[in-house]
Amino acid sequence: MSYQMPHQCPVCNHEMKISKLTCTYCPTKIEGEFSSCKFCRLPAEQLIFMEAFIKCRGNIKEVEKELGISYPTVRSRLDSVIEALGYGVDKEKDTENGKGNSPEESLRRQEILEALERGEISAQEATRQMRESNK
């Protein structure tokens, strides 16, 4: 049985390193200290999103349909993957459009939009919560 490699230590939450590689065909084994790829360290939810994004060739409308989420949620999830991979999200463009939010504000906005999508809150309630989070 094959298991997913844990990328965080269950004791101290620091990064885990790969220390032994074994060939599935012959008896070759290599020992050392190896890092996994950036994509391998993404949480399952972000990997699912990235698979859909690649499958849809980056077409946000297609990603919306594939995952059943709204345009702002697609953008937010894409931004979170970009940040998780260690790249900066172009906040300057968002600031020019009046959308310059901290990561906490962006996460809160995403949660509100997802609750709205699931029908847990009304459009009016989402609007009220968005306005409160901007204060």
Side-chain angles (χ1 to χ4, degrees), residues 110-126:
Q110 179 182 346
E111 289 170 352
I112 294 167
L113 291 172
E114 288 176 358
L116 178 61
E117 274 184 32
R118 292 188 299 266
E120 295 172 359
I121 59 174
S122 68
Q124 292 81 10
E125 176 63 17

Side-chain angles (χ1 to χ4, degrees), residues 42-61:
L42 292 175
E45 182 179 300
Q46 288 183 333
L47 282 173
I48 292 166
F49 173 81
M50 284 307 302
E51 286 181 33
F53 188 82
I54 292 167
K55 177 182 171 188
C56 296
R57 296 183 171 151
N59 183 315
I60 291 181
K61 289 287 183 193

Side-chain angles (χ1 to χ4, degrees), residues 8 21 23 27 50 59 64 77 79 99 105 113 117:
Q8 278 190 313
L21 299 171
C23 179
M50 284 307 302
N59 183 315
E64 286 180 62
R77 289 188 184 175
D79 286 348
K99 299 178 187 174
E105 289 170 330
L113 291 172
E117 274 184 32

Side-chain angles (χ1 to χ4, degrees), residues 78-95:
L78 182 58
D79 286 348
S80 72
V81 169
I82 291 168
E83 288 177 358
L85 292 173
Y87 303 106
V89 176
D90 193 357
K91 298 291 186 191
E92 209 171 277
K93 282 184 182 175
D94 287 346
T95 304

